[in-house]
Amino acid sequence: MKHIRRLAGGGPKNVVSRADAIILMIASSLAAVVTTVTAVSSAVVLFTGPVTLVLPVATSHHMAPGLSLEAAGHFTSVEATIPVLPSGPAVQLAWAGVLDQFGILTILALVFLLAYRLQSGTLFTVMSAHMVGAAGVVLAIVGTSGQVLDSAARKRISEMIGVNARTPGESLIFSAQFDTGPLMLGIALLLVAGVFEYGRRLQKDTEGLV
């Protein structure tokens, strides 16, 4: 990549070349199309079946047999193939997929817009700061909401197929895996938006001194 190009009598004009920016914009656009098609296909399968899902096991009465060294253990998840999903959990899983895809599209749109602004040499603008900040908020919200819906649906399916059936004297807890990645990335983008705003003000002050 061509990092900085200087013109005679001027400061830095371009962070990336026009060709580099076009490649990034095309790549992000293609990724958006491919991931969207994949997400739609996955959603269709949820309503047409059969569906294979990894489901959480919240109880401890499913013991793992045949362990060596006198070890004892129990299953914490099970992979189950279900011919037809009940409509309620299927809708929840579909919405979880929609939210996850929306988060992916948000990141790809940010890459596209930043690539466009980088080649034009106007990165530190009010719009750039707002774009990055908005992307951070959206990613944090949809990433967290999608995981909550997905976990709730999988827990419900586990109960329906009898994996998490209650046993006497045992309490049933909510079992789910939560990935903090989208939330952390959203927070990081909010901080980057602050950096962009600081850079914009610094650039404005510098231009006033020239």
Side-chain angles (χ1 to χ4, degrees), residues 107-153:
I107 295 298
L108 293 174
L110 183 62
V111 171
F112 183 96
L113 294 172
L114 290 181
Y116 174 78
R117 289 199 171 274
L118 280 170
Q119 62 87 26
S120 66
T122 57
L123 180 60
F124 293 115
T125 64
V126 176
M127 184 59 68
S128 295
H130 288 172
M131 286 190 307
V132 176
V137 172
V138 170
L139 186 61
I141 293 175
V142 301
T144 302
S145 301
Q147 290 187 74
V148 171
L149 281 175
D150 183 85
S151 298

Coordinates of all heavy atoms in Angstrom, one line a residue, residues 107-153:
I107 N -19.9 -3.5 10.1 CA -18.5 -3.4 10.0 C -18.0 -3.2 8.6 O -17.1 -2.4 8.2 CB -17.9 -4.7 10.6 CG1 -18.2 -4.7 12.1 CG2 -16.4 -4.7 10.4 CD1 -17.6 -3.6 12.9
L108 N -18.7 -4.0 7.6 CA -18.3 -3.9 6.2 C -18.6 -2.5 5.7 O -17.8 -2.0 4.9 CB -19.0 -5.0 5.4 CG -18.5 -6.4 5.8 CD1 -19.4 -7.4 5.0 CD2 -17.1 -6.6 5.4
A109 N -19.7 -2.0 6.1 CA -20.1 -0.6 5.6 C -19.1 0.4 6.1 O -18.7 1.4 5.4 CB -21.5 -0.2 6.1
L110 N -18.6 0.2 7.3 CA -17.6 1.1 7.9 C -16.3 1.0 7.1 O -15.7 2.0 6.9 CB -17.4 0.8 9.4 CG -16.4 1.7 10.2 CD1 -17.0 3.2 10.2 CD2 -16.3 1.2 11.6
V111 N -15.9 -0.2 6.8 CA -14.7 -0.4 6.0 C -14.8 0.3 4.7 O -13.9 1.0 4.2 CB -14.4 -1.9 5.8 CG1 -13.3 -2.1 4.8 CG2 -14.0 -2.5 7.2
F112 N -16.0 0.2 4.0 CA -16.2 0.8 2.7 C -16.1 2.3 2.8 O -15.4 2.9 2.0 CB -17.6 0.4 2.2 CG -17.9 0.9 0.9 CD1 -17.7 0.1 -0.3 CD2 -18.4 2.2 0.7 CE1 -18.1 0.6 -1.5 CE2 -18.8 2.7 -0.6 CZ -18.6 1.9 -1.7
L113 N -16.8 2.9 3.8 CA -16.8 4.3 3.9 C -15.4 4.9 4.3 O -15.0 6.0 3.8 CB -17.9 4.8 4.9 CG -19.3 4.5 4.5 CD1 -20.3 4.7 5.6 CD2 -19.7 5.3 3.2
L114 N -14.8 4.2 5.2 CA -13.4 4.7 5.6 C -12.4 4.6 4.5 O -11.6 5.5 4.3 CB -12.9 3.9 6.8 CG -13.7 4.2 8.1 CD1 -13.1 3.4 9.3 CD2 -13.6 5.7 8.5
A115 N -12.5 3.5 3.7 CA -11.7 3.4 2.5 C -11.9 4.5 1.5 O -10.9 5.1 1.0 CB -11.9 2.0 1.8
Y116 N -13.1 4.9 1.4 CA -13.5 6.0 0.5 C -12.9 7.3 1.0 O -12.3 8.1 0.2 CB -15.0 6.1 0.3 CG -15.4 7.3 -0.5 CD1 -15.4 7.4 -1.8 CD2 -15.9 8.5 0.2 CE1 -15.7 8.5 -2.6 CE2 -16.3 9.6 -0.5 CZ -16.2 9.6 -1.9 OH -16.6 10.7 -2.6
R117 N -13.0 7.5 2.3 CA -12.5 8.8 2.8 C -10.9 8.8 2.9 O -10.3 9.8 2.8 CB -13.1 9.0 4.2 CG -14.5 9.4 4.2 CD -15.0 10.0 5.5 NE -16.3 10.5 5.3 CZ -16.6 11.8 4.8 NH1 -15.7 12.5 4.4 NH2 -17.9 12.2 4.7
L118 N -10.3 7.6 3.1 CA -8.9 7.6 3.1 C -8.3 8.0 1.8 O -7.3 8.7 1.8 CB -8.4 6.2 3.5 CG -8.5 5.8 5.0 CD1 -8.2 4.3 5.2 CD2 -7.5 6.6 5.8
Q119 N -8.8 7.5 0.7 CA -8.2 7.9 -0.6 C -8.5 9.3 -1.0 O -7.8 9.9 -1.8 CB -8.8 6.9 -1.7 CG -10.3 7.0 -1.9 CD -10.7 8.0 -2.9 OE1 -9.9 8.4 -3.8 NE2 -11.9 8.5 -2.8
S120 N -9.5 9.9 -0.3 CA -9.8 11.3 -0.6 C -9.0 12.3 0.3 O -9.0 13.5 0.1 CB -11.3 11.6 -0.5 OG -11.6 11.5 0.9
G121 N -8.3 11.7 1.3 CA -7.5 12.5 2.2 C -8.3 13.3 3.2 O -7.8 14.3 3.8
T122 N -9.5 13.0 3.4 CA -10.4 13.7 4.4 C -10.9 12.8 5.4 O -12.1 12.6 5.5 CB -11.5 14.5 3.6 OG1 -12.3 13.5 2.9 CG2 -11.0 15.5 2.7
L123 N -10.0 12.1 6.1 CA -10.4 11.1 7.1 C -11.0 11.8 8.4 O -12.1 11.3 8.9 CB -9.2 10.2 7.4 CG -9.5 9.1 8.4 CD1 -10.6 8.2 7.9 CD2 -8.2 8.4 8.7
F124 N -10.3 12.8 8.9 CA -10.7 13.3 10.2 C -11.8 14.4 10.0 O -11.5 15.6 9.9 CB -9.5 13.9 10.9 CG -8.5 12.9 11.4 CD1 -7.3 12.9 10.8 CD2 -8.9 11.9 12.3 CE1 -6.4 11.9 11.2 CE2 -8.0 11.0 12.7 CZ -6.7 10.9 12.2
T125 N -13.0 13.9 9.8 CA -14.2 14.8 9.6 C -15.2 14.5 10.7 O -15.2 13.5 11.4 CB -14.8 14.7 8.2 OG1 -15.3 13.4 8.1 CG2 -13.7 14.9 7.2
V126 N -16.2 15.4 10.8 CA -17.3 15.2 11.7 C -18.0 13.9 11.3 O -18.4 13.1 12.2 CB -18.3 16.4 11.8 CG1 -19.5 16.1 12.6 CG2 -17.5 17.6 12.3
M127 N -18.3 13.7 10.0 CA -19.0 12.6 9.5 C -18.2 11.3 9.9 O -18.9 10.2 10.2 CB -19.2 12.7 8.0 CG -20.0 11.5 7.4 SD -21.7 11.4 8.2 CE -22.4 13.0 7.5
S128 N -16.9 11.3 9.7 CA -16.1 10.1 10.0 C -16.3 9.7 11.5 O -16.5 8.5 11.8 CB -14.6 10.3 9.7 OG -14.5 10.5 8.3
A129 N -16.2 10.6 12.4 CA -16.3 10.4 13.8 C -17.7 9.8 14.1 O -17.8 8.9 14.9 CB -16.0 11.6 14.6
H130 N -18.7 10.4 13.5 CA -20.1 9.9 13.7 C -20.3 8.5 13.1 O -21.0 7.7 13.8 CB -21.1 10.9 13.0 CG -21.2 12.2 13.8 ND1 -21.9 13.3 13.3 CD2 -20.7 12.6 15.0 CE1 -21.8 14.3 14.1 NE2 -21.1 13.9 15.1
M131 N -19.7 8.2 12.0 CA -19.8 6.9 11.4 C -19.2 5.8 12.3 O -19.8 4.8 12.6 CB -19.2 6.9 10.0 CG -19.9 7.6 8.9 SD -19.2 7.3 7.3 CE -17.5 7.7 7.5
V132 N -18.0 6.1 12.8 CA -17.3 5.1 13.7 C -18.1 4.9 15.0 O -18.3 3.8 15.4 CB -15.9 5.6 13.9 CG1 -15.2 4.6 14.9 CG2 -15.1 5.6 12.6
G133 N -18.6 6.0 15.6 CA -19.3 6.0 16.8 C -20.6 5.2 16.6 O -21.0 4.4 17.5
A134 N -21.3 5.5 15.5 CA -22.6 4.8 15.3 C -22.4 3.3 15.1 O -23.2 2.5 15.5 CB -23.3 5.4 14.1
A135 N -21.3 3.0 14.4 CA -21.0 1.6 14.1 C -20.7 0.9 15.4 O -21.1 -0.3 15.6 CB -19.8 1.4 13.2
G136 N -20.0 1.5 16.4 CA -19.7 0.9 17.7 C -21.0 0.7 18.4 O -21.2 -0.4 19.0
V137 N -21.9 1.6 18.5 CA -23.2 1.5 19.2 C -24.0 0.3 18.6 O -24.5 -0.5 19.3 CB -24.0 2.8 19.2 CG1 -25.4 2.6 19.7 CG2 -23.3 3.9 19.9
V138 N -24.1 0.3 17.3 CA -24.9 -0.7 16.6 C -24.3 -2.1 16.8 O -25.1 -3.0 17.2 CB -25.0 -0.4 15.1 CG1 -25.6 -1.6 14.3 CG2 -25.8 0.8 14.8
L139 N -23.0 -2.2 16.7 CA -22.4 -3.5 16.9 C -22.6 -4.0 18.3 O -22.9 -5.2 18.5 CB -20.9 -3.4 16.6 CG -20.1 -4.7 16.6 CD1 -20.7 -5.7 15.5 CD2 -18.7 -4.5 16.3
A140 N -22.4 -3.2 19.3 CA -22.6 -3.6 20.7 C -24.0 -4.0 21.0 O -24.3 -5.1 21.6 CB -22.2 -2.4 21.6
I141 N -25.0 -3.3 20.4 CA -26.4 -3.6 20.7 C -26.8 -4.9 19.9 O -27.4 -5.8 20.5 CB -27.3 -2.5 20.3 CG1 -27.1 -1.3 21.2 CG2 -28.8 -2.9 20.3 CD1 -27.9 0.0 20.8
V142 N -26.6 -5.0 18.6 CA -27.1 -6.1 17.9 C -26.3 -7.4 18.2 O -26.8 -8.5 18.2 CB -27.0 -5.9 16.3 CG1 -27.9 -4.7 16.0 CG2 -25.6 -5.7 15.9
G143 N -25.0 -7.2 18.5 CA -24.2 -8.4 18.9 C -24.7 -9.0 20.2 O -24.8 -10.2 20.3
T144 N -25.0 -8.2 21.2 CA -25.5 -8.7 22.4 C -26.9 -9.2 22.3 O -27.2 -10.3 22.8 CB -25.5 -7.6 23.5 OG1 -24.1 -7.1 23.6 CG2 -25.9 -8.1 24.8
S145 N -27.8 -8.5 21.6 CA -29.2 -8.9 21.5 C -29.2 -10.3 20.7 O -30.0 -11.1 21.1 CB -30.0 -7.9 20.8 OG -29.9 -6.6 21.5
G146 N -28.4 -10.4 19.7 CA -28.5 -11.6 18.9 C -28.1 -12.8 19.7 O -28.7 -13.9 19.6
Q147 N -27.1 -12.7 20.6 CA -26.6 -13.8 21.4 C -27.7 -14.1 22.4 O -27.8 -15.3 22.7 CB -25.3 -13.4 22.1 CG -24.1 -13.3 21.1 CD -22.8 -13.2 21.9 OE1 -22.3 -14.1 22.5 NE2 -22.3 -12.0 21.8
V148 N -28.3 -13.1 23.0 CA -29.4 -13.4 24.0 C -30.5 -14.2 23.3 O -31.0 -15.2 23.9 CB -29.9 -12.1 24.6 CG1 -31.2 -12.4 25.4 CG2 -28.9 -11.5 25.4
L149 N -31.0 -13.8 22.1 CA -32.0 -14.5 21.4 C -31.6 -16.0 21.1 O -32.3 -16.9 21.2 CB -32.4 -13.8 20.1 CG -33.3 -12.6 20.3 CD1 -33.5 -11.9 18.9 CD2 -34.7 -13.0 20.8
D150 N -30.3 -16.1 20.6 CA -29.8 -17.4 20.2 C -29.8 -18.3 21.4 O -30.2 -19.5 21.3 CB -28.5 -17.2 19.6 CG -27.9 -18.6 19.1 OD1 -28.2 -18.9 17.9 OD2 -27.1 -19.2 19.8
S151 N -29.3 -17.8 22.5 CA -29.1 -18.7 23.7 C -30.5 -19.1 24.3 O -30.7 -20.2 24.7 CB -28.3 -17.9 24.8 OG -27.0 -17.6 24.4
A152 N -31.4 -18.1 24.3 CA -32.8 -18.5 24.8 C -33.4 -19.5 23.9 O -34.1 -20.4 24.4 CB -33.6 -17.2 24.8
A153 N -33.3 -19.4 22.6 CA -33.9 -20.4 21.7 C -33.3 -21.8 21.8 O -34.0 -22.8 21.9 CB -33.7 -19.9 20.2

